[in-house]
Structure formats: structure tokens, C-alpha cells
Amino acid sequence: MRFLVAGAGSWGTAFTRVLLDRGHRVVLACHTAEQADAIARTGWNPRYLQSVDLRAVEAVALADAPGDVDVVVVAVPSRAFTSVVDALPGEAPVLSLAKGLDPATGERLSSRVRGRQVAVLSGPNMAEEIAEGLPTAAVVASEDGFLAGQLQHALNSTLFRAYVNPDLVGVELCAAAKNVIALAAGGVDGLRLGDNAKAAVIARGLAEMTRLGEAAGARAETFAGLAGMGDLVVTCWSRHGRNRHAGELIAQGLTPERAIAEIGQTVEGLTTAPVLRDLSHRLGVELPITEGVCSVLSGQSIAELAAGLMGRRPTEE
């Protein structure tokens, strides 16, 4: 198959390698012509995952992306997702790798795709490990079972195991919410509160995500799977996790802006947290960790937040 990967950041670069290893042809559409020229000239991404061999890739600027492809893979930040999809030529199905909500409307990103079939891929997929050839698993979610099956067949290998799931709502909400919980888990690391506290944040965060998903019409079992628990655990614990790292830096005294600058890449949880909170208000669902993260981003001390969460009225699990 011929794939267009829109977005040449870490995840777009690593996923391009997955496609190449499965024997597919890949056009990698870069944010700038300079990045595309560098990849075309050297066979390597000058900024992201520089160990990934891209010599078999056709690199172009995003503005020059072709329309005659079988699938468009969109690997851009949530804030850019709608504008990128709207500008893409052709009518090929979209496979979204983005993990967030549309910050302008609060909608799930797949709902921003017009006139195309759409699927979402999510799971415990740290780009750095995939780039090193380490094994992982992911779930492809779509309301179109035939499309999900096609993508599963196109992606599945001994290093990248692909499952299908019809619960598009649940998979997308998992992908968005887990980044916010990872900010809180990083805060635990920054305050050196220990593994017990971190595990508690992850477990209660999973319960929080599941409540929100069920209220939005998702299936509870999705949150116990790869897109839910799997992605949540790796995002909260991995040294590669940008959201975890940002939470750690903020707990150590950096502003969110300085944390982003130090990490040097998109930190989706910082964009998603207030959008997720507003969604929970519309659905009437209580998300104490998400509310707390938003309070810290608005200036509350993270130590005060930790004390407030621990001091909440005891209740049933």
C-alpha cells in the first residue's frame, strides 16, 4: 500500500519505519520544506529520532502532499490536526495517531475529519522504543470494521502487534485523558512521593478515565485494554514520557512554558487538560485528578494539590 504520513515528528518518524518494515511505500510530509529537503538528501530526520533510516522514503513539504495514496496517517499535535486534515488533497481514509481533543471545539479529533473514512491508532507506543526495533502492541479503532481490518493486516508484525476495536469513542478518550494523568504522575516524581503514591494516581486516574468514557458512550472494557491501561502505564512510568517529564519539571518549580522549552517537543497533556475538564463538566462527571492538574497549571502549588487529593472525603472505590 502507499501511505502518506503527515507529520515528521518523533511518532510520525517511528511509524514511518513501521510501515517501511512491512514493505509499504511511504510519502513523509514534513512541516517545512527544509526538513523535507534534509530527509531527501541524507535519508535521516535532522531533528527527531536521528537513528531511523528514512532512505526509502519520499519526503515532501506538507503543502506538497500528494492525494493519490491509499491511507493518510496524521501524526501532528491536536491543535494542528483539523487544519492539516482539511488541507490534505484526495479522499483517502485517515488513520489518526494524534492523542488529544480539538482545543477549539472540545470534540474528538476523528469527528473533525470530513468526507473521509477514519480510524484511530493508540496503545503503549513510545516512539523511541519503536525506533529501536523493540516490540509493542496497538489497537486500531474505527466504526468501519472493514477499514480497521485492512489497517490491522497492513500493520501487524512480530514487532508491532495490531488489534482492532470498534469503540472509537473510548480509544480516543483514553488517548487524550492518559496524558493528563501522566502530568499528575510526573508531579509525584517531582515531589519524590514514592512509587506507592504514583501507583495510586495511575489507578485512580484509570477509574477517572473510565467514568468519563462511559458517560460519553464508550465501552468500559476499552479502558482496561491497550489504549487505556496499557498506554496510561507506559506514559506515566517511561523515561521517554513527555507528559510525565513535564509534570516532574513543573513540580520542581518550572512554569509549563519553561517545561515545554526544556523538553523541546509537544506536551499534549498541557493542551488537553482544560479541554478534558470542560468536557467532564458538560457530561456531569467528576474528574478530581484532571481538575487538580488544571489548578496547578493555573498557579496552585502542586504540594497543596497533593494534600487536597489525599484529604478528600473517604468513599467506596
Side-chain angles (χ1 to χ4, degrees):
M1 298 174 69
R2 189 176 190 226
F3 285 80
L4 167 67
V5 178
S10 293
W11 194 196
T13 300
F15 196 75
T16 293
R17 190 65 253 171
V18 171
L19 295 172
L20 291 173
D21 289 344
R22 288 289 287 124
H24 300 296
R25 294 169 294 154
V26 182
V27 180
L28 182 57
C30 306
H31 181 61
T32 65
E34 291 76 15
Q35 185 185 23
D37 289 342
I39 294 173
R41 186 176 65 256
T42 69
W44 312 95
N45 193 326
R47 181 175 178 186
Y48 301 100
L49 301 182
Q50 297 172 356
S51 64
V52 175
D53 185 350
L54 299 175
R55 285 175 291 182
V57 163
E58 178 186 349
V60 300
L62 197 56
D64 298 323
D68 57 337
V69 297
D70 298 306
V71 179
V72 177
V73 178
V74 182
V76 299
S78 59
R79 65 177 182 273
F81 184 90
T82 300
S83 60
V84 167
V85 170
D86 286 349
L88 291 171
E91 298 179 350
V94 163
L95 175 62
S96 171
L97 307 189
K99 296 187 175 183
L101 299 172
D102 182 60
T105 66
E107 296 178 0
R108 291 180 292 107
L109 295 177
S110 69
S111 69
R112 305 297 297 166
V113 179
R114 314 296 188 196
R116 300 173 186 260
Q117 297 171 293
V118 62
V120 171
L121 182 139
S122 193
N125 306 140
M126 286 294 166
E128 294 82 359
E129 293 191 359
I130 292 173
E132 293 173 11
L134 297 176
T136 190
V139 60
V140 178
S142 179
E143 295 173 351
D144 184 327
F146 181 75
L147 173 62
Q150 277 188 313
L151 291 169
Q152 178 188 38
H153 179 73
L155 298 174
N156 192 67
S157 72
T158 56
L159 291 178
F160 195 93
R161 183 161 175 80
Y163 293 80
V164 296
N165 187 335
D167 185 14
L168 186 60
V169 174
V171 169
E172 283 193 281
L173 289 180
C174 284
K178 60 93 183 184
N179 285 327
V180 181
I181 304 303
L183 288 171
V188 172
D189 288 340
L191 295 177
R192 298 186 177 181
L193 298 180
D195 289 342
N196 291 338
K198 187 170 177 179
V201 165
I202 293 171
R204 295 312 304 160
L206 181 60
E208 188 168 299
M209 291 164 53
T210 305
R211 283 199 304 274
L212 180 69
E214 289 183 304
R219 304 191 316 182
E221 53 265 36
T222 296
F223 293 80
L226 289 169
M229 183 173 66
D231 201 6
L232 176 64
V233 169
V234 77
T235 305
C236 289
W237 227 284
S238 173
R239 62 188 175 88
H240 299 301
R242 283 175 260 165
N243 292 277
R244 186 212 61 78
H245 191 195
E248 183 179 24
L249 294 174
I250 292 168
Q252 293 171 346
L254 270 64
T255 64
E257 293 75 19
R258 286 185 59 198
I260 293 171
E262 179 157 331
I263 292 169
Q265 297 189 58
T266 299
V267 180
E268 280 287 6
L270 297 176
T271 301
T272 301
V275 184
L276 197 71
R277 175 200 59 200
D278 293 346
L279 174 61
S280 74
H281 291 175
R282 292 195 299 273
L283 294 175
V285 178
E286 188 178 22
L287 303 183
I289 297 175
T290 299
E291 293 280 0
V293 168
C294 291
S295 295
V296 169
L297 297 180
S298 298
Q300 181 187 10
S301 161
I302 195 167
E304 292 177 2
L305 167 62
L309 288 172
M310 291 298 290
R312 285 166 52 86
R313 180 179 61 85
T315 183
E316 294 182 356
E317 186 177 32

